[in-house]
Amino acid sequence: MMWPFYLMALVAIISTVRVVTNTNPVHALLSLIVSLLAVAGIFMIIGAPFAAALEIIVYAGAIMVLFVFVVMMLNLGQHTVDQERKWLTSDAWAFPALMSFLLGLILVWMLGSNYTTHGAVLGTQIVGPKAVGQALFTQYLLLVEVAAMLLLAALVAAFHLGKRESSAEEEKE
């Protein structure tokens, strides 16, 4: 009964290695998304479906929004669009597609089994949102506040770094 866990872990490790070793940032981002989905699957297997949902929504979703924000902030032209078309060939999508297919098979197998009636595959109980909220806002309250302050500081820094000075020609228009 441990094979889904080990398969998810293998997908996460291989995808994470590809994130670090890829020289193309777009390909590295695709592998990072697959890695984050594999970690969400591991959370699901060990009995934390709420943490798995948060992993997908916060990390995989936030990474995509951050990537779009950076592309918009850089204001890249047609040359970059043509270069990306050359980079995004079918072989660039083959590995992330294969890993995502493996993750999908495991997820279908898990949802088809009696996952909810027998508890987690590896854990002894399923951790719900109430337990996560109580732990975050009692035992780990200081860490939550520090993380919020760091995210606010990063947002202000990103705004100031991305802000362009207006030139005299732009003011005339």
Side-chain angles (χ1 to χ4, degrees), residues 96-153:
L98 175 68
M99 292 294 131
S100 299
F101 180 71
L102 283 175
L103 293 176
L105 284 178
I106 295 169
L107 184 64
V108 167
W109 175 80
M110 285 176 50
L111 293 176
S113 66
N114 291 332
Y115 177 76
T116 55
T117 57
H118 295 300
V121 175
L122 292 179
T124 57
Q125 62 182 1
I126 294 178
V127 179
K130 182 178 180 182
V132 171
Q134 285 177 338
L136 281 178
F137 294 108
T138 56
Q139 186 176 356
Y140 300 109
L141 181 61
L142 182 61
L143 294 175
V144 169
E145 293 297 327
V146 168
M149 290 301 193
L150 284 173
L151 288 173
L152 178 64

Side-chain angles (χ1 to χ4, degrees), residues 33-152:
I33 291 169
V34 171
S35 176
L36 292 172
L37 292 174
V39 170
I42 290 172
F43 279 139
M44 192 79 162
I45 289 171
I46 63 172
F50 183 67
L54 286 178
E55 176 83 18
I56 292 170
I57 293 168
V58 173
Y59 289 110
I63 294 296
M64 289 305 292
V65 168
L66 178 67
F67 186 69
V68 169
F69 174 73
V70 168
V71 168
M72 286 172 38
M73 189 170 70
L74 292 176
N75 194 15
L76 303 173
Q78 184 63 31
H79 170 64
T80 308
V81 172
D82 295 337
Q83 186 179 19
E84 293 243 351
R85 278 197 194 119
K86 286 192 287 187
W87 282 348
L88 290 177
T89 58
S90 60
D91 59 338
W93 288 87
F95 180 77
L98 175 68
M99 292 294 131
S100 299
F101 180 71
L102 283 175
L103 293 176
L105 284 178
I106 295 169
L107 184 64
V108 167
W109 175 80
M110 285 176 50
L111 293 176
S113 66
N114 291 332
Y115 177 76
T116 55
T117 57
H118 295 300
V121 175
L122 292 179
T124 57
Q125 62 182 1
I126 294 178
V127 179
K130 182 178 180 182
V132 171
Q134 285 177 338
L136 281 178
F137 294 108
T138 56
Q139 186 176 356
Y140 300 109
L141 181 61
L142 182 61
L143 294 175
V144 169
E145 293 297 327
V146 168
M149 290 301 193
L150 284 173
L151 288 173
L152 178 64

Side-chain angles (χ1 to χ4, degrees), residues 14-38:
I14 292 172
S15 296
T16 304
V17 167
R18 284 186 50 94
V19 168
V20 176
T21 59
N22 259 329
T23 56
N24 184 344
V26 176
H27 297 175
L29 180 71
L30 290 173
S31 294
L32 180 62
I33 291 169
V34 171
S35 176
L36 292 172
L37 292 174

